[in-house]
Amino acid sequence: MPTKLPQGTPSGSEGPSPRRPGGPGFFPGPEFLQDKIEAIRAKWGWFVVVGLLMILFGMILLGNLYAATVAVVWMTGVMLIIGGGVQIAQAFQARGWGHVIFWFISGLIYAAAGVIAMARPMVAADVFTLLFGITVIVTGGFRLIAALDARPAPGWGWMLFGGVITTAFGLLITAQWPGVTDWLLGLVLAVDLLSQGFTWLFFGLAIRKPR
């Protein structure tokens, strides 16, 4: 004799599925988030150590901006060589002579640029500094356009102010080029290391379990 289904349950249905922990859809629930927070909190010491090391390296580079600039150029050269090698390897995977030639020549150009940058770091620093100044000017221009487009929304004046500062900074770099080549890229790297270091340091201290 067939078993009667409870009233209101459609035929062939097994009833409501057990509720999974967490929120609906793809959003994790509070239990899942709490577990992730506890897992991160257990590693708070690593964040502090990494932050202190980055602060230390940033202070060392800040004390010798010329060496820091050379380090930036060398890192860029290494990345260019690696990127060129990857593209040359990709050339042998491409089908058709046109694709092979394109990837191969592109890889050679990247690798050659990396070798030149490492062999003549200050010449490469001149080029990188000028490109950096132009990039900052373009970024400032886009911020000015975005600020004017957002007018009269609240805060558009601050966006405009930020765009003016960024554009002026880029113009100052290009106006002083190549006199700023010896120290500008090194200063950018040192400040970035310091800011990231303090960020990780304070993050690690903030998530530390209270005693």
Side-chain angles (χ1 to χ4, degrees), residues 147 153-162:
W156 76 272
W158 287 107
M159 295 175 60
L160 185 68
F161 177 74

Side-chain angles (χ1 to χ4, degrees), residues 12 26 38 73 95 125 171:
F26 296 100
E38 290 299 326
V73 175
R95 296 181 179 180
L171 291 173

Side-chain angles (χ1 to χ4, degrees), residues 89-128:
Q90 178 68 24
F92 295 99
Q93 303 296 326
R95 296 181 179 180
W97 279 101
H99 294 290
V100 171
I101 294 175
F102 170 78
W103 286 106
F104 188 76
I105 293 178
S106 178
L108 283 179
I109 293 174
Y110 266 73
V115 171
I116 293 172
M118 297 182 70
R120 301 290 299 275
M122 295 316 298
V123 174
D126 281 336
V127 177
F128 293 160

Side-chain angles (χ1 to χ4, degrees), residues 26-41:
F26 296 100
F27 297 99
E31 299 87 355
F32 176 80
L33 293 178
Q34 186 62 32
D35 291 341
K36 298 297 288 185
I37 292 173
E38 290 299 326
I40 295 175
R41 180 172 288 171

Side-chain angles (χ1 to χ4, degrees), residues 129-130 132-134 136 168-178 180 184:
T129 302
L130 180 60
F132 177 72
I134 294 173
V136 172
F169 181 57
L171 291 173
L172 181 64
I173 293 173
T174 54
Q176 298 293 324
W177 182 84
V180 295
L184 180 64

Side-chain angles (χ1 to χ4, degrees):
M1 182 175 179
T3 306
K4 277 189 172 184
L5 294 173
Q7 189 175 3
T9 304
S11 178
S13 172
E14 297 181 357
S17 59
R19 183 179 179 85
R20 295 182 180 181
F26 296 100
F27 297 99
E31 299 87 355
F32 176 80
L33 293 178
Q34 186 62 32
D35 291 341
K36 298 297 288 185
I37 292 173
E38 290 299 326
I40 295 175
R41 180 172 288 171
K43 304 290 192 304
W44 71 270
W46 287 104
F47 292 107
V48 172
V49 171
V50 170
L52 289 174
L53 287 175
M54 295 182 76
I55 293 172
L56 175 62
F57 288 133
M59 293 179 66
I60 292 174
L61 293 180
L62 201 61
N64 193 341
L65 295 179
Y66 179 84
T69 297
V70 174
V72 172
V73 175
W74 270 66
M75 286 190 298
T76 306
V78 170
M79 288 188 291
L80 287 172
I81 293 174
I82 294 175
V86 171
Q87 293 198 34
I88 291 174
Q90 178 68 24
F92 295 99
Q93 303 296 326
R95 296 181 179 180
W97 279 101
H99 294 290
V100 171
I101 294 175
F102 170 78
W103 286 106
F104 188 76
I105 293 178
S106 178
L108 283 179
I109 293 174
Y110 266 73
V115 171
I116 293 172
M118 297 182 70
R120 301 290 299 275
M122 295 316 298
V123 174
D126 281 336
V127 177
F128 293 160
T129 302
L130 180 60
L131 291 177
F132 177 72
I134 294 173
T135 302
V136 172
I137 293 173
V138 172
T139 302
F142 278 118
R143 290 178 180 176
L144 291 174
I145 294 173
L148 294 175
D149 186 62
R151 189 178 54 173
W156 76 272
W158 287 107
M159 295 175 60
L160 185 68
F161 177 74
V164 169
I165 295 298
T166 303
T167 305
F169 181 57
L171 291 173
L172 181 64
I173 293 173
T174 54
Q176 298 293 324
W177 182 84
V180 295
T181 297
D182 290 349
W183 55 269
L184 180 64
L185 296 179
L187 179 63
V188 172
L189 176 61
V191 170
D192 181 66
L193 282 174
L194 287 172
S195 63
Q196 292 296 322
F198 280 112
T199 298
W200 288 119
L201 172 63
F202 290 131
F203 176 75
L205 294 175
I207 64 173
R208 181 179 55 174
K209 284 185 177 181
R211 300 192 176 218

